[in-house]
């Protein structure tokens, strides 16, 4: 499956999807978004893939939607095509975990794309921002909603209203990213995390993803009920028996996704 704006590599059950438009700091144009949605669907459908790492270059994860392409659009065009919504829905439908490995700029749609992933590992050179206000628009693929849930109202308002960038240290302090590592170690760290996830039972991995994401969509009481039922259901699996037996026998568990 050929991609012009992505590099895709599968090793150790991990699909690494690298945004690759260096001439435009990985700006998200229609072609890249279509290819990214396709690559995500392919990773979801490929039994060899157990975790996904989404990354960019050292200079930029993605500097936002492609302003050159976007500048010519009319209201009717963005409204009728539901600009980038079908592509983002494909990414959000992926049930396997997606780690964003972010170095350099993650701005506008780039920051929003990172936030659609399950967690973000950042390099110490990462810069996050929602500068759409400088272009006379607002975030369009989740920024006002997701950033607010990650960092709270005050900082989210600050970022969206001033358009300023946040460095990696501030992003970690505010809960936007899970860890910050030196730029040269970014991919090693992301791959280590992905390989670790790939070793787990996919039944529990997918259940964790569903349950944590549920916390954004529902009340605490309903979320806890969902979690409790998911916990109960996992006792119907061989992997639960294996995981607990392995602990008691002081050996590594051999999960078989059953
Ligand atoms: C198109 C972009 C781009 C973008 C950078 N480039 N960002 N092209 N869309 N979003 C291009 C530049 O035009 C330039 O091409 C090349 O990449 C290198 O960029 P420079 O500006 O020369 O680099 P630098 O001086 O290092 O500045 C980096 C930067 C700046 C701070 C990231 O490029 C920047 O501010 N970019 C725009 C960031 C932004 O506003 N993003 C939000 C977009 S709106 P040439 O050909 O000139 O060399 C959005 C809405 C999402 O994302 C909603 C979706 C539905």
């Amino acid at each position: 499956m050929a991609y012009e704006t992505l590099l895709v590599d599968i090793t150790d059950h991990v699909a690494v999807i690298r945004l690759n438009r260096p001439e435009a700091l990985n700006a998200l144009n229609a072609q890249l978004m279509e290819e990214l949605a396709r690559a995500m669907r392919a990773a979801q459908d490929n039994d060899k893939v157990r975790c996904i790492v989404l990354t960019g270059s050292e200079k930029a994860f993605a500097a936002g939607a492609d302003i050159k392409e976007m500048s010519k659009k009319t209201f009717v065009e963005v409204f009728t095509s539901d600009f980038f919504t079908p592509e983002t829905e494909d990414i959000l439908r992926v049930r396997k975990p997606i780690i964003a490995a972010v170095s350099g700029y993650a701005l506008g749609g780039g920051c929003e794309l990172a936030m659609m992933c399950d967690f973000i590992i950042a390099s110490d050179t990462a810069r996050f921002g929602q500068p759409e206000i400088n272009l006379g628009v607002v975030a369009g693929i989740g920024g006002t909603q997701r950033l607010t849930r990650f960092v709270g109202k005050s900082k989210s308002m600050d970022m969206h209203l001033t358009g300023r960038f946040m460095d990696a240290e501030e992003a970690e302090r505010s809960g936007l990213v899970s860890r910050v590592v030196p730029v040269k170690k970014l991919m090693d760290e992301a791959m280590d995390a992905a390989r670790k996830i790939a070793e787990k039972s996919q039944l529990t991995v997918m259940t964790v993803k569903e349950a944590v994401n549920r916390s954004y969509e529902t009340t605490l009481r309903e979320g806890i009920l969902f979690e409790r039922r998911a916990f109960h259901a996992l006792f119907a699996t061989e992997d639960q028996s294996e995981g607990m037996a392995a602990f008691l026998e002081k050996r590594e568990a051999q999960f078989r996704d059953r």
Side-chain angles (χ1 to χ4, degrees):
M1 219 184 300
Y3 302 107
E4 287 177 9
T5 63
L6 307 177
L7 300 170
V8 180
D9 178 57
I10 301 174
T11 21
D12 298 340
H13 300 289
V14 179
V16 178
I17 302 177
R18 187 179 288 278
L19 308 178
N20 188 37
R21 290 190 69 214
E23 71 286 0
L25 300 181
N26 294 334
L28 311 172
N29 63 3
Q31 184 185 9
L32 184 149
M33 288 301 284
E34 182 277 319
E35 291 187 355
L36 179 58
R38 188 148 48 88
M40 287 287 179
R41 289 196 304 268
Q44 173 63 34
D45 293 344
N46 185 341
D47 288 342
K48 289 199 191 88
V49 174
R50 301 171 70 84
C51 191
I52 300 162
V53 173
L54 178 62
T55 194
S57 67
E58 209 169 286
K59 180 142 195 229
F61 177 75
D66 190 307
I67 301 168
K68 218 175 280 178
E69 190 180 77
M70 201 169 38
S71 63
K72 302 180 202 91
K73 291 195 180 294
T74 64
F75 164 76
V76 172
E77 282 166 356
V78 291
F79 180 74
T80 52
S81 70
D82 215 0
F83 190 50
F84 285 172
T85 304
E87 295 86 349
T88 58
E89 292 294 335
D90 279 344
I91 297 166
L92 295 169
R93 257 197 297 272
V94 172
R95 298 180 70 198
K96 296 172 184 174
I98 309 173
I99 302 172
V102 173
S103 179
Y105 297 110
L107 305 176
C111 184
E112 296 172 286
L113 182 59
M115 290 190 290
M116 276 178 230
C117 299
D118 295 307
F119 63 98
I120 303 174
I121 300 180
S123 83
D124 50 9
T125 63
R127 313 253 286 153
F128 298 88
Q130 298 287 166
E132 289 91 340
I133 197 157
N134 298 327
L135 302 169
V137 289
V138 300
I141 47 175
T144 59
Q145 306 305 298
R146 289 201 177 88
L147 189 64
T148 308
R149 283 166 162 83
F150 281 121
V151 306
K153 177 183 166 184
S154 188
K155 197 177 284 285
S156 179
M157 281 285 191
D158 177 3
M159 301 295 294
H160 286 283
L161 289 173
T162 67
R164 78 174 174 89
F165 300 165
M166 202 194 268
D167 66 17
E169 193 273 322
E170 183 180 3
E172 186 181 29
R173 177 159 36 91
S174 334
L176 175 57
V177 311
S178 71
R179 10 178 159 162
V180 178
V181 295
V183 63
K184 295 294 176 210
K185 296 207 170 129
L186 178 66
M187 284 313 288
D188 286 346
E189 186 88 2
M191 287 302 289
D192 280 353
R195 275 191 289 261
K196 208 165 273 174
I197 293 166
E199 287 168 6
K200 318 286 185 209
S201 164
Q202 288 300 286
L203 302 172
T204 50
V205 164
M206 289 196 294
T207 304
V208 166
K209 178 161 173 162
E210 270 186 40
V212 174
N213 283 334
R214 184 61 66 109
S215 74
Y216 277 113
E217 309 288 350
T218 192
T219 62
L220 181 61
R221 180 181 283 269
E222 287 300 319
I224 287 172
L225 179 60
F226 180 86
E227 178 196 81
R228 187 185 312 147
R229 292 295 178 238
F231 173 75
H232 295 162
L234 288 168
F235 280 75
T237 67
E238 288 178 20
D239 285 342
Q240 173 267 334
S241 308
E242 166 62 11
M244 294 190 184
F247 175 81
L248 295 173
E249 292 161 18
K250 300 188 188 302
R251 61 172 174 82
E252 287 285 312
Q254 300 294 321
F255 293 120
R256 300 198 307 168
D257 303 339
R258 293 184 199 164

